[in-house]
Amino acid sequence: MLTNIGFIIGIALMYAAPLMFTAMGGVISEKSGVINIGLEGMMYLGAFIGAAVGYYSGNPWIAFLAAGFASGLLGLLHAVASVSFAGNQTISGFAINFIGPGIALFLSRLMFNGATMTKPIPMEGKMPKPFNGILRSLSLENTFAAQVLNQYATVYLAFILIFIVWFIFYKTRFGLRIRAVGEHPRAADTLGINVFALRYICVTLSGVFAGFGGASMSLAVVSLFSPTLISGQGYIALAAMIFGNWRPRGIMWGCLLFGAAEGLAVYMGGRTNVVVPTQVLSMLPYIITLLVLVLFIRKSNAPAADGVPYEKSSSNLI
């Protein structure tokens, strides 16, 4: 029984990590006042670049960084549209959600002989499990501790990123400036804060983090990229951000909740005698997403200037 619980927790952590990266990308953008619903497309491109670079280089860390860089460029594109041209941030985000998969599929066909999925990454090219050797040497394989602790490096990095983002937001002057720009950009501008530069940095970083989230899927959860690999993970990350009320700790719990849904689905799909249709199991995370949005969206408080373009010459904006 304890081992089964450990299995569910372990799977939950593995699936929660990509959501944590991506949700941190969403929150850092929205705390600066720019809505980023393009996380799905950024995650998509990150997943492909991670798998492709991982396959050709054999180095998961180079692949991980390349995925962040590629999706960061999409973040930069979103920043140009939303900040420099004061465009509609929702429409720009939707466009990113089409551009990301489009580029990924185009490059996949170009690099893998017309296929829309990459070739599997060799085991040595996958993201490592830092404690695998230690747990094996202690003969703790197949125990509760091993099920929970024997995770890919991306899981630990996701928790570290949660702490770093929390620390920046609430313990540093830079974080205070981000929150000020997201709440009242005109007042922040009056105090000498460069609103445009800060939003550029945050939106670009949101792309980088979403790319890390996508690479976590293709380099750790599975070992390749396929057109259905992401399938709504970016939107689930957005739901986790709303569930967490735009706060890193709350977002972490939201991602763990969605990860637990995945863990439960995997457990019920292969380790119990209870017969549940696979279609129902695969729907479970999305049903939870809908419930979260229905129950928590009215109780959540987004930054006051979230989604409002800032123009110095305008007098009717925040």
Side-chain angles (χ1 to χ4, degrees), residues 33 82-83 85-89 185 199 305 307-311 314 317-318:
S82 304
V83 180
F85 296 105
N88 186 301
Q89 297 168 11
R199 285 187 170 182
V308 182
Y310 179 67
E311 297 175 277
S314 177
L317 296 174
I318 294 176

Side-chain angles (χ1 to χ4, degrees), residues 18 32 69 163 211 237 257 295:
S32 73
F69 177 78
F163 173 77
L257 171 67
L295 295 175

Side-chain angles (χ1 to χ4, degrees), residues 2-317:
L2 196 60
T3 305
N4 288 334
I5 295 173
F7 174 80
I8 295 173
I9 295 174
I11 295 294
L13 290 171
M14 184 176 70
Y15 275 99
L19 298 177
M20 289 184 190
F21 281 115
T22 308
M24 284 300 100
V27 76
I28 199 167
S29 175
E30 301 215 2
K31 280 286 188 182
S32 73
V34 178
I35 293 175
N36 188 357
I37 63 168
L39 295 174
E40 175 85 0
M42 296 171 183
M43 207 176 174
Y44 212 104
L45 183 60
F48 168 74
I49 294 295
V53 176
Y55 173 77
Y56 282 110
S57 71
N59 188 318
W61 296 112
I62 292 176
F64 191 67
L65 293 175
F69 177 78
S71 296
L73 293 178
L74 284 184
L76 182 62
L77 181 64
H78 185 46
V80 170
S82 304
V83 180
S84 293
F85 296 105
N88 186 301
Q89 297 168 11
T90 303
I91 294 175
S92 175
F94 267 120
I96 296 291
N97 284 337
F98 286 106
I99 292 172
I103 295 174
L105 292 176
F106 171 75
L107 292 177
S108 179
R109 289 181 185 278
L110 199 66
M111 298 169 67
F112 293 93
N113 300 321
T116 56
M117 59 189 295
T118 64
K119 293 181 179 177
I121 302 169
M123 282 301 295
E124 60 272 17
K126 282 197 72 173
M127 192 58 66
K129 292 182 174 181
F131 297 117
N132 193 33
I134 297 173
L135 291 168
R136 186 178 299 170
S137 65
L138 296 174
S139 301
L140 291 175
E141 294 171 296
N142 299 320
T143 62
F144 175 82
Q147 298 279 7
V148 175
L149 296 176
N150 195 17
Q151 298 290 336
Y152 293 103
T154 47
V155 174
Y156 305 105
L157 288 175
F159 281 100
I160 292 171
L161 181 65
I162 294 269
F163 173 77
I164 291 174
V165 173
W166 170 83
F167 186 84
I168 289 173
F169 277 160
Y170 302 110
K171 299 294 179 183
T172 67
R173 180 179 294 181
F174 181 65
L176 180 63
R177 291 185 173 190
I178 292 174
R179 289 187 288 137
V181 166
E183 293 293 337
H184 205 306
R186 186 165 301 284
D189 195 4
T190 305
L191 293 172
I193 298 173
N194 190 329
V195 176
F196 295 143
L198 209 56
R199 285 187 170 182
Y200 257 91
I201 292 171
C202 291
V203 178
T204 304
L205 275 178
S206 76
V208 173
F209 292 163
F212 288 161
S216 299
M217 288 293 293
S218 61
L219 289 168
V221 178
V222 297
S223 57
L224 52 77
F225 166 83
S226 70
T228 58
L229 179 62
I230 300 303
S231 61
Q233 295 291 310
Y235 297 116
I236 293 176
L238 279 174
M241 184 183 68
I242 295 170
F243 174 87
N245 204 15
W246 285 265
R247 295 175 181 275
R249 189 170 60 181
I251 292 170
M252 178 190 72
W253 289 116
C255 293
L256 289 174
L257 171 67
F258 292 117
E262 292 278 5
L264 195 60
V266 172
Y267 174 75
M268 294 181 68
R271 294 174 68 107
T272 65
N273 294 324
V274 180
V275 179
V276 181
T278 55
Q279 292 88 346
V280 174
L281 292 175
S282 60
M283 284 171 57
L284 191 59
Y286 305 103
I287 293 172
I288 291 178
T289 303
L290 287 174
L291 289 175
V292 163
L293 290 175
V294 170
L295 295 175
F296 291 95
I297 195 165
R298 290 185 179 180
K299 298 177 183 178
S300 300
N301 297 309
D306 197 15
V308 182
Y310 179 67
E311 297 175 277
K312 284 189 176 185
S313 58
S314 177
S315 59
N316 60 345
L317 296 174

